[in-house]
Amino acid sequence: MRFDVLTLFPEMVAGPLGASIIGRAQASGGVQLALHQIRDHGIGRHQTVDDTPYGGGSGMVMRCDVVANAVRSVRATAVAEGRVPGPVVLFEPSGHRFDQRMAERFATLESLTLVCGHYEGVDARFAEALADECPIEVVSIGDFVLTGGEYAALVVIDAVARLLPGVLGNSDSASVESFAPGAGLEFPQYTRPREWEGHAVPDVLFSGHHAKIAAWRQQQSELRTATVRPDLVRSPRSTGG
Ligand code: ADE
């Protein structure tokens, strides 16, 4: 799967994704990451990308024409190279909340174009205009405000890429954990040493009795979900509707 990331700070995205599992997936070709500098489409000699908000207020707003030109350029390159340009995701705290279900939907795509806003976000006309040209979704990774969409892009790429075939070593790992369809939060995991600072690993895990272990894990998962995330208990895959 290919991710085109448009950002003013490509180095914020490149570094973290070059390491560990996603780094390996890039090396083996399962994940392709293309970074695009939005400032290349900036206005004038200073390649201006933002301006003060109409109506007043603090901070700077990214210009719709600059961001649209950057996205259109990425899409045009895809077409010229015989690729199908992917849907566009714009990261804003006011977007639809990202979750495992959205990650699963994105993982079915061949490519995704991720637009990282910065400062006070992107002029609202950008998403309005792009919607006439291609699928576009405004996405938030949670109810908090980040300094920019780059962190959100990292989160989304990681969550999506690990669902792609061959990216995780053990193909089981993506199916038994928290937020897998129908599952609650993941049960507690243990490894060596069996006893540590007075804390023992539960005996059932040494019983060799697979059904008993599975039942214990299910019970622990339910307990943890009810305690930590009661909102997941009634309808773990609810869309809120
Ligand atoms: N940009 C700033 N805050 C964000 C958030 N919570 N999710 C996505 N993009 C953001």
Side-chain angles (χ1 to χ4, degrees):
M1 178 170 179
R2 178 183 169 108
F3 297 94
D4 286 281
V5 183
L6 290 84
T7 168
L8 291 170
F9 303 98
E11 66 278 10
M12 285 174 71
V13 181
L17 293 178
S20 188
I21 295 171
I22 309 303
R24 266 205 314 275
Q26 280 194 72
S28 68
V31 168
Q32 290 142 290
L33 180 66
L35 300 171
H36 308 276
Q37 173 54 266
I38 294 175
R39 196 171 293 283
D40 291 348
H41 301 269
I43 307 290
R45 203 159 55 87
H46 298 291
Q47 293 186 293
T48 302
V49 296
D50 56 4
D51 213 323
T52 51
Y54 282 131
S58 63
M60 301 290 272
V61 177
M62 287 175 74
R63 289 179 56 131
C64 48
D65 50 353
V66 170
V67 183
N69 285 341
V71 171
R72 286 171 182 152
S73 156
V74 166
R75 294 178 62 79
T77 302
V79 172
E81 292 177 357
R83 290 180 283 107
V84 180
V88 173
V89 169
L90 170 65
F91 291 113
E92 301 256 339
S94 56
H96 295 278
R97 178 93 69 86
F98 182 66
D99 60 10
Q100 190 65 22
R101 188 145 72 155
M102 199 184 282
E104 286 163 14
R105 179 162 58 82
F106 287 165
T108 65
L109 302 169
E110 249 167 66
S111 86
L112 205 52
T113 297
L114 307 175
V115 181
C116 305
H118 228 87
Y119 315 121
E120 291 303 308
V122 181
D123 183 314
R125 292 169 294 175
F126 161 72
E128 237 173 75
L130 258 282
D132 293 334
E133 300 169 26
C134 62
I136 176 163
E137 295 186 45
V138 184
V139 170
S140 161
I141 60 160
D143 293 343
F144 41 79
V145 181
L146 302 165
T147 55
E150 286 77 10
Y151 302 105
L154 289 170
V155 165
V156 167
I157 292 170
D158 189 86
V160 172
R162 65 185 290 287
L163 297 175
L164 302 174
V167 168
L168 292 185
N170 176 357
S171 59
D172 275 356
S173 326
S175 60
V176 293
E177 70 221 353
S178 300
F179 311 114
L185 300 183
E186 195 179 29
F187 47 80
Q189 297 274 22
Y190 302 89
T191 186
R192 289 192 169 86
R194 182 166 178 165
E195 179 138 354
W196 175 71
E197 298 188 355
H199 300 266
V201 175
D203 284 339
V204 63
L205 298 177
F206 301 95
S207 66
H209 194 302
H210 295 305
K212 262 192 198 157
I213 293 172
W216 180 85
R217 285 177 164 169
Q218 177 65 27
Q219 179 213 345
Q220 290 293 311
S221 162
E222 286 167 14
L223 190 66
R224 189 178 257 191
T225 309
T227 310
V228 180
R229 290 292 305 275
D231 55 304
L232 294 177
V233 171
R234 237 171 54 117
S235 176
R237 305 269 292 164
S238 166
T239 54

